[in-house]
Amino acid sequence: MLKIQSLSALVFLLPLVRAAQPIYAQCGGTGYSGDTTCVSGAVCTKLNEFYSQCLPGSGAPTTTVSTPTVPSTTPVTTPTVTQPGTTTVPTSTGVPTAVSGNPYTGYEIYLSPYYAKEVDDAAAQISDASLKARALKVKDIPTFVWFDVIAKTGDLGTYLADADRKGKAEGKKYIVQIVVYDLPDRDCAAYASNGEFAIANGGEANYRRYVDQLVAEVRKYPDVRVIAVIEPDSLANMVTNMDVAKCRGAEKAYKEGVVYALQKLSAVGVYSYIDAGHAGWLGWNANLTPAARLYADIYKSAGSSPFIKGLATNVANYNALSASSPDPVTQGNQNTDELKYINAISPVLRQNGWNAQFIVDQGRSGRQNIRNEWGEWCNVRGAGFGMRPTLSTGSSLIDAIVWVKPGGEADGTSNTSAPRYDTHCGVASAHKPAPEAGTWFQEYFVALVQNASPTL
Ligand SMILES: *[C@@H]1O[C@H](CO)[C@@H](O)[C@H](O)[C@H]1NC(C)=O
């Protein structure tokens, strides 16, 4: 995956001299030798060691959110059920009790102020009034907040405090949706979202510290519910990409890290959905059983907590929930959309001891038939915002349709000389030029708005 980055950023205010870089252009990072100043109204903001970008603003650092993208490699071959429901039972003893039904039921979803700001800034640059109005509607659609670097964990406390305050003021209960995304040697089969921690350099201990910091924030706000997507792409890579040395080397750290995160998050009442790739990745017949076994093993290793709700699919990808006709790229795989994939893997999970539920990312799935190969994941041209988040999913297996990837944040840079360049970001179907993963990609956002289906 790709991912991203973000962070709380250090802002470099550089002396304004020379021709400054335009808004959203690169202004620093490893190997960068161009202008490090930004036009008036923008600040050169360090997003990660590889990339600084001119972001709107006049000084105050902002947090950038990141996002990932999904990967990659596709395998080669081809392959229904239900669950109970209930409601929640908070306890005051410190040990939370999980609801047996849909954890989204009865809650409002908190809107990420970071993403709302990105959308506001993006809309401000759109001159066409009707397009601008449609772009602004995206502000009111909930997305997940990505915690892709340890420096951002404090932001979780800010969001939880805000959600807690709003909930009390409005007499409502809020959910904050987060992505836990900082495993050491992250994105082992791709380049665009390599992370900050290296296994060779204390990465596993650093990761536990990262999880502990998230958990410490959650514990302070028991009235706000947190729903987490756990480590996009990581375990899916363990199913199909063990021919990649970095993935082989990361196996222990990934599995132990995910189990650690699940245990700690469950202990403070966070509902987790482990990332499970998508139909074009683990949905191939040859992958379904190994994938289901792995996920069920992880669930059991983490103590089979009822807070570990299930799996998240299609995170940052483009697949339809239920395609009206199979996209030609799906040929050879009978699971041509996410619903088919979920219906195929669910019984195998049950056979292995896990009655898992699902959430499905449809944030950028509005348009189909836009890829030349199913494995293409990077800034796919022609994509549009998709089905809105809803609990009316049409399947008892699916708790919610969600927007995990904040549309408009790039999947990866198309700069072939950048250290995190991944060739998937240079293919014919990729929208170019593209900035670093997780940073704002204005043209791409505008295209998502224009291509949105349903229309905005
Ligand atoms: C592409 O990346 C290289 C290496 O980081 C950098 O020197 C160059 O300025 C970048 N080009 C653009 C257009 O950002």
Side-chain angles (χ1 to χ4, degrees):
M1 156 130 330
L2 320 298
K3 176 324 130 351
I4 345 357
Q5 221 43 17
S6 45
L7 329 204
S8 44
L10 296 179
V11 176
F12 295 110
L13 273 176
L14 297 172
L16 291 173
V17 208
R18 308 180 283 161
Q21 292 287 84
I23 209 150
Y24 297 115
Q26 186 174 7
C27 55
T30 307
Y32 175 79
S33 58
D35 196 337
T36 54
T37 63
C38 298
V39 290
S40 161
V43 175
C44 187
T45 304
K46 180 178 175 180
L47 301 172
N48 58 60
E49 65 186 295
F50 304 111
Y51 203 82
S52 296
Q53 187 183 36
C54 293
L55 294 178
S58 54
T62 25
T63 322
T64 305
V65 176
S66 302
T67 319
T69 316
V70 177
S72 356
T73 317
T74 0
V76 207
T77 2
T78 6
T80 321
V81 209
T82 329
Q83 202 147 292
T86 338
T87 358
T88 258
V89 191
T91 57
S92 51
T93 60
V95 182
T97 303
V99 301
S100 61
N102 188 340
Y104 279 93
T105 302
Y107 280 70
E108 302 285 315
I109 304 179
Y110 180 71
L111 297 169
S112 157
Y114 181 78
Y115 186 59
K117 169 88 166 64
E118 284 183 321
V119 171
D120 261 337
D121 291 342
Q125 295 178 69
I126 298 173
S127 46
D128 179 89
S130 137
L131 187 59
K132 185 194 290 252
R134 282 183 282 148
L136 282 170
K137 290 186 185 171
V138 177
K139 257 172 61 168
D140 297 324
I141 302 172
T143 58
F144 279 62
V145 182
W146 291 71
F147 290 91
D148 52 353
V149 289
I150 195 166
K152 286 168 128 183
T153 55
D155 295 344
L156 178 57
T158 306
Y159 297 146
L160 292 171
D162 193 30
D164 192 46
R165 183 191 52 72
K166 277 169 71 77
K168 285 170 178 148
E170 298 167 7
K172 293 176 178 167
K173 293 179 289 184
Y174 274 92
I175 283 170
V176 171
Q177 302 181 118
I178 68 171
V179 179
V180 174
Y181 189 53
D182 206 13
L183 279 172
D185 285 18
R186 191 176 67 199
D187 205 18
C188 66
Y191 296 98
S193 295
N194 291 175
E196 61 183 345
F197 296 148
I199 293 168
N201 189 21
E204 290 161 274
N206 286 335
Y207 184 68
R208 291 192 291 271
R209 197 157 50 82
Y210 156 86
V211 170
D212 292 347
Q213 290 184 18
L214 290 175
V215 163
E217 298 298 343
V218 172
R219 186 176 286 135
K220 291 185 220 163
Y221 303 96
D223 297 333
V224 180
R225 178 166 290 180
V226 177
I227 291 184
V229 165
I230 306 297
E231 296 293 346
D233 297 356
S234 61
L235 296 177
N237 275 320
M238 301 295 97
V239 178
T240 67
N241 289 323
M242 295 304 269
D243 56 327
V244 177
K246 186 177 174 188
C247 290
R248 268 199 311 279
E251 182 177 12
K252 175 173 168 289
Y254 278 17
K255 290 180 178 173
E256 290 179 359
V258 168
V259 167
Y260 183 86
L262 290 169
Q263 288 173 331
K264 293 288 176 169
L265 292 166
S266 296
V268 290
V270 173
Y271 291 88
S272 293
Y273 294 86
I274 309 169
D275 182 89
H278 59 87
W281 190 355
L282 301 182
W284 296 84
N285 262 350
N287 296 337
L288 284 170
T289 298
R293 283 193 184 132
L294 172 58
Y295 288 111
D297 282 351
I298 292 285
Y299 165 72
K300 288 180 253 184
S301 298
S304 305
S305 166
F307 283 105
I308 309 172
K309 273 289 166 186
L311 302 177
T313 80
N314 201 47
V315 170
N317 211 280
Y318 305 85
N319 298 337
L321 174 66
S322 187
S324 49
S325 61
D327 187 317
V329 296
T330 66
Q331 201 178 12
N333 180 341
Q334 68 192 57
N335 294 315
T336 52
D337 57 38
E338 294 305 301
L339 183 58
K340 290 191 173 73
Y341 166 44
I342 287 166
N343 284 338
I345 198 169
S346 166
V348 197
L349 287 160
R350 285 170 176 260
Q351 282 156 21
N352 284 280
W354 190 17
N355 295 341
Q357 288 291 111
F358 294 83
I359 56 175
V360 183
D361 189 358
Q362 288 291 286
R364 303 191 301 180
S365 295
R367 301 277 171 170
Q368 298 301 302
N369 309 351
I370 55 175
R371 290 170 284 189
N372 295 317
E373 290 176 26
W374 208 351
E376 292 170 354
W377 49 258
C378 193
N379 307 316
V380 177
R381 193 181 281 280
F385 282 117
M387 188 185 293
R388 310 301 180 259
T390 180
L391 305 192
S392 300
T393 66
S395 166
S396 55
L397 290 173
I398 304 176
D399 286 340
I401 299 305
V402 291
W403 285 18
V404 182
K405 168 91 183 178
E409 293 181 3
D411 294 320
T413 178
S414 60
N415 179 349
T416 54
S417 337
R420 297 206 299 174
Y421 173 69
D422 189 292
T423 52
H424 287 95
C425 302
V427 297
S429 71
H431 200 127
K432 299 177 278 285
E436 281 281 342
T439 65
W440 194 253
F441 189 178
Q442 178 72 10
E443 275 182 44
Y444 198 74
F445 172 76
V446 170
L448 287 170
V449 172
Q450 286 169 326
N451 296 330
S453 178
T455 52
L456 285 159

